[in-house]
Amino acid sequence: MIVPDDVFRDRSVLHGEQVRLEPLGPAVLEDYLLALDDPEVRRLTGSHAEHDRTAVARWLATRHEHHDRADWAVVRSEDGAFLGEAVLNDLDPDNASCNFRILLAGPHQGRGYGTEAVRLAVGDAFARGLHRVSLTVFAFNARARRVYEKCGFVVEGRCRDVLWWDGRWHDEFVMAVLAGELR
Ligand SMILES: CC(C)(COP(=O)(O)OP(=O)(O)OC[C@H]1O[C@@H](n2cnc3c(N)ncnc32)[C@H](O)[C@@H]1OP(=O)(O)O)[C@@H](O)C(=O)NCCC(=O)NCCS
């Protein structure tokens, strides 16, 4: 292994100018459910599943037990409002890589919070010794792609017809950033 399989074990709050990342937990249940159930967020993340309140509560309550991933609450610095989540998951310790995903609730999009949250979370992965962080983004999600490119992610490929939504197929891009490339 290049990095330990519990590489995300010790986590403190990550502070940016507009947002901070805190370990995700049950305190944000109501706002988290609202974000997940937002129809536009569901489309942009390709979420077909209905969210069961009990299952989501259990999910939030158990995040701290998992040290091979980092689930962050994205919180606005000025007032502590819950904005969304940022996640480093699918750790591959033998190759020092992981996946990234993020979602912000509808009212909090387009204000620069996402860009800062990506930089904080992915920067934390590299600070822990990871070499590569990858993600997928649907081809119709131009805003997310722009944010990832601003942060240094590059498109590595296009997967065809991965999502069936609104009666048609949609492609997605695979993107990744390597250690030293984060902007
Ligand atoms: C994707 C997401 C995290 C981005 O965070 P955000 O706070 O909304 O984005 P920011 O305000 O930091 O930056 C948005 C950038 O995209 C640009 N942008 C906005 N709409 C755009 C569009 N339709 N096409 C291209 N660029 C666009 C903005 O101009 C800005 O770039 P700039 O700083 O160069 O001007 C957030 O919108 C989100 O969570 N969306 C819903 C879920 C989602 O899409 N998750 C990602 C799944 S892969």
Side-chain angles (χ1 to χ4, degrees), residues 94-155:
D94 294 318
N95 297 298
S97 65
C98 71
N99 179 72
F100 176 71
R101 70 161 194 255
I102 183 169
L103 70 81
L104 302 185
H108 304 305
Q109 296 165 9
R111 297 162 188 258
Y113 300 145
T115 301
E116 197 174 52
V118 172
R119 289 181 175 139
L120 286 171
V122 177
D124 182 65
F126 292 137
R128 291 169 189 275
L130 273 75
H131 176 67
R132 173 187 163 87
V133 178
S134 60
L135 59 81
T136 56
V137 55
F138 295 120
F140 57 69
N141 196 345
R143 178 174 52 201
R145 181 175 165 185
R146 164 76 187 135
V147 167
Y148 299 141
E149 285 177 339
K150 264 198 301 182
C151 295
F153 283 81
V154 297
V155 172

Side-chain angles (χ1 to χ4, degrees), residues 42-117:
R42 293 175 73 101
R43 184 181 78 90
L44 291 168
T45 57
S47 303
H48 290 292
E50 296 296 323
H51 296 105
D52 173 71
R53 185 189 185 82
T54 306
V56 171
R58 191 178 318 119
W59 173 262
L60 292 173
T62 54
R63 291 308 83 208
H64 69 283
E65 298 168 6
H66 298 267
H67 307 302
D68 61 347
R69 57 184 290 148
D71 295 82
W72 304 101
V74 183
V75 173
R76 187 160 53 204
S77 303
E78 66 180 26
D79 60 0
F82 174 80
L83 306 176
E85 71 167 356
V87 180
L88 296 162
N89 61 356
D90 292 342
L91 175 69
D92 177 351
D94 294 318
N95 297 298
S97 65
C98 71
N99 179 72
F100 176 71
R101 70 161 194 255
I102 183 169
L103 70 81
L104 302 185
H108 304 305
Q109 296 165 9
R111 297 162 188 258
Y113 300 145
T115 301
E116 197 174 52

Side-chain angles (χ1 to χ4, degrees), residues 27 54 157 162 170:
T54 306
V162 296
H170 300 274

Side-chain angles (χ1 to χ4, degrees), residues 153-172:
F153 283 81
V154 297
V155 172
E156 296 185 334
R158 182 172 188 135
C159 305
R160 298 171 303 155
D161 289 1
V162 296
L163 176 71
W164 177 257
W165 198 271
D166 279 346
R168 55 163 288 207
W169 291 108
H170 300 274
D171 296 353
E172 74 179 7

